[in-house]
Amino acid sequence: MDDLARAVEVLSAKRQILVFSGAGISTESGIPDFRGPNGLWTRVDPEDFNIKRYLSSRELRVRGWRMHANGERWGSGNPLPNQGHLAVVDLWRQGKLVGVVTQNIDGLQQAAGLPDELIAELHGNVKESQCLDCGQTWPTEAILERVASGEEDPHCSCGGLVKTRVVMFGEGLDPSTVDRAFQFLADADAMIVVGSTVAVYPASDVVLAAAFKPVPVVIINMGETEADHLAAVRLDGPIGELLPALVSAL
């Protein structure tokens, strides 16, 4: 029996499947991952994503907003959901999805049609920005309009610094989002991991907890992951091909 058939066998009777997604599901939309051969870390120092450095360095903030404005942190052009994102929506429409826990910050799963209440964005969402002092929020597009008009380091009217609602190194995860993720897991009877190496903590704790719950875990990824030894089935290949095939077979 090939791996796809084995994955179908494992999941065929499940009705509360939790999807855990990482950067690999969005690379086919033109958004680079972080650690791959063409990933963001090949062009940017990971320490530039440290909250202490962001707070202390105007130069870093100016460069970061310029990169956002140039599309270097959004993907090329206007990224659209791909077949992987659409397959997750199809799983929901089949009545077999309990929710999505994602490390991604691009909002593409919502753009594909999945309701907000079914998504736990552990690392935030780049499409919203926030004042770090008073908490006011704006669409990031509104902040980028200010950058385009010459405001290099946007501040709030209260004087506070503005940053996208993306969790940086040194910041904690939002407790309510973590609670939602583990509630999905509590209700789940299986998990599909797509496009994640399961190497970033504490987000990867959700996958480890699934394996020890235990519920069967199916992994779809290009290359090895840190959770391969926990998988009931592992599919190695393009998510935009394998995930739709799996969902269709279910």
Side-chain angles (χ1 to χ4, degrees):
M1 185 182 297
D2 66 25
D3 290 339
L4 181 60
R6 288 175 55 226
V8 172
E9 182 179 62
V10 166
L11 298 174
S12 60
K14 306 304 181 182
R15 292 296 180 270
Q16 294 280 80
I17 300 172
L18 175 59
V19 171
F20 181 93
S21 63
I25 196 174
S26 292
T27 54
E28 293 174 48
S29 292
I31 297 178
D33 59 14
F34 291 90
R35 292 166 180 79
N38 298 309
L40 190 61
W41 294 159
T42 65
R43 305 191 306 275
V44 179
D45 181 354
E47 280 302 307
D48 284 353
F49 286 79
N50 185 291
I51 186 61
K52 290 184 179 179
R53 184 178 288 190
Y54 185 87
L55 295 175
S56 63
S57 174
R58 182 182 187 278
E59 178 186 357
L60 173 63
R61 296 192 300 272
V62 170
R63 184 168 68 249
W65 285 117
R66 187 179 301 121
M67 290 182 71
H68 279 300
N70 291 339
E72 296 175 57
R73 291 188 183 175
W74 288 72
S76 58
N78 182 29
L80 297 173
N82 61 55
Q83 293 303 311
H85 300 107
L86 296 174
V88 174
V89 175
D90 287 343
L91 190 65
W92 166 55
R93 289 174 175 156
Q94 290 178 16
K96 299 176 183 177
L97 179 74
V98 69
V100 173
V101 177
T102 186
Q103 299 168 283
N104 295 340
I105 60 174
D106 50 47
L108 289 182
Q109 194 59 73
Q110 294 95 316
L114 198 67
D116 284 335
E117 61 267 22
L118 290 180
I119 306 174
E121 295 175 304
L122 293 178
H123 296 161
N125 192 314
V126 75
K127 293 181 183 278
E128 289 188 351
S129 292
Q130 181 177 30
C131 173
L132 297 179
D133 285 354
C134 73
Q136 182 176 350
T137 61
W138 309 265
T140 297
E141 287 288 357
I143 302 300
L144 294 182
E145 288 174 5
R146 291 166 57 181
V147 173
S149 68
E151 193 174 347
E152 292 186 318
D153 182 21
H155 281 56
C156 179
S157 58
C158 77
L161 289 176
V162 176
K163 69 178 283 290
T164 61
R165 296 189 70 178
V166 172
V167 178
M168 288 184 160
F169 297 127
E171 289 187 290
L173 303 185
D174 175 63
S176 64
T177 303
V178 174
D179 287 347
R180 176 183 289 189
F182 278 93
Q183 185 57 60
F184 288 156
L185 178 60
D187 295 336
D189 57 10
M191 174 182 280
I192 303 174
V193 177
V194 289
S196 175
T197 59
V198 198
V200 177
Y201 292 86
S204 58
D205 287 343
V206 178
V207 179
L208 301 181
F212 288 103
K213 186 180 174 182
V215 298
V217 177
V218 172
I219 295 178
I220 305 176
N221 194 56
M222 292 279 284
E224 297 179 352
T225 82
E226 296 291 324
D228 285 351
H229 62 293
L230 302 174
V233 185
R234 183 181 181 283
L235 306 177
D236 194 327
I239 293 165
E241 296 177 12
L242 292 173
L243 186 56
L246 174 60
V247 171
S248 177
L250 292 176

